[in-house]
Amino acid sequence: MSIRSATANTNGVDVVTKQEAAAAVRHAKVVTGVTWEQLAQAIDRPLAWTTAALLGQHPMSKDEAATAAALLELGEDVALAFQLQPTRGALDSAVPVDPTIYRLYEVIQVYGPTIKELIHEQCGDGIMSAINFRLDVQRVPDSAGDRVVITLDGKYLPYQW
């Protein structure tokens, strides 16, 4: 599967944006039945990193991009887009409208000040890195209804004055 973009053609390969590539990935996952976990295993990267990369938030190496594109039955145009340096940030508006993303926004609205206070009390005057960072999402069975556990694991960065 290849994407035809309105942008220029370079050396016989259509130029595809990271956003167009992300849309192609979502479509190809449905068509092929390939899971995010299978993609992560194929490129030997963490699940959350792989998912974010294929949704346009990280650049992939040439080999990673080629492997993912082949597994999803996508063309060289999309594999090239996977390798581009991204403009990070995936929200189209300041307040997200997707219910799942909005709930995370709501968590930060309600618990953001608490998280900040606890970081300062436990670590000192500083922040959690979103660059030196790991993310994990797990479904955990619970008798009262399954739970979602999201782990945000960022390096502590002290302010240096």
Side-chain angles (χ1 to χ4, degrees), residues 4-71:
R4 296 285 176 219
S5 175
T7 54
N9 181 295
T10 306
N11 296 329
V13 177
D14 289 317
V15 177
V16 173
T17 67
K18 289 190 90 57
Q19 293 80 13
E20 291 169 329
V25 166
R26 286 188 177 106
H27 181 266
K29 283 183 75 279
V30 172
V31 171
T32 64
V34 173
T35 66
W36 293 117
E37 184 65 41
Q38 289 169 324
L39 288 159
Q41 289 174 355
I43 67 167
D44 196 29
R45 287 285 209 145
L47 176 60
W49 186 94
T50 301
T51 305
L54 291 170
L55 294 177
Q57 297 300 305
H58 300 301
M60 298 178 93
S61 72
K62 186 174 184 175
D63 289 342
E64 291 167 342
T67 299
L71 195 57

Side-chain angles (χ1 to χ4, degrees), residues 144-156:
D146 289 357
R147 304 192 60 84
V148 176
V149 176
I150 300 172
T151 304
L152 308 175
D153 179 354
K155 179 180 179 182
Y156 172 70

Side-chain angles (χ1 to χ4, degrees), residues 73-160:
E73 301 174 7
L74 295 170
E76 183 182 351
D77 52 352
V78 177
L80 288 172
F82 292 160
Q83 297 170 65
L84 297 174
Q85 186 65 37
T87 299
R88 290 183 171 92
L91 300 179
D92 294 328
S93 63
V95 178
V97 295
D98 176 86
T100 302
I101 297 172
Y102 179 80
R103 288 296 171 249
L104 294 170
Y105 175 81
E106 183 179 41
V107 166
I108 296 303
Q109 288 284 59
V110 173
Y111 293 103
T114 299
I115 294 167
K116 176 184 172 25
E117 286 295 324
L118 294 173
I119 288 171
H120 291 293
E121 183 174 288
Q122 294 176 23
C123 301
D125 186 18
I127 61 172
M128 179 183 76
S129 175
I131 296 170
N132 187 335
F133 182 82
R134 291 184 291 261
L135 166 70
D136 189 46
V137 179
Q138 296 291 318
R139 180 179 183 165
V140 177
D142 188 285
S143 61
D146 289 357
R147 304 192 60 84
V148 176
V149 176
I150 300 172
T151 304
L152 308 175
D153 179 354
K155 179 180 179 182
Y156 172 70
L157 301 172
Y159 283 110
Q160 296 177 355

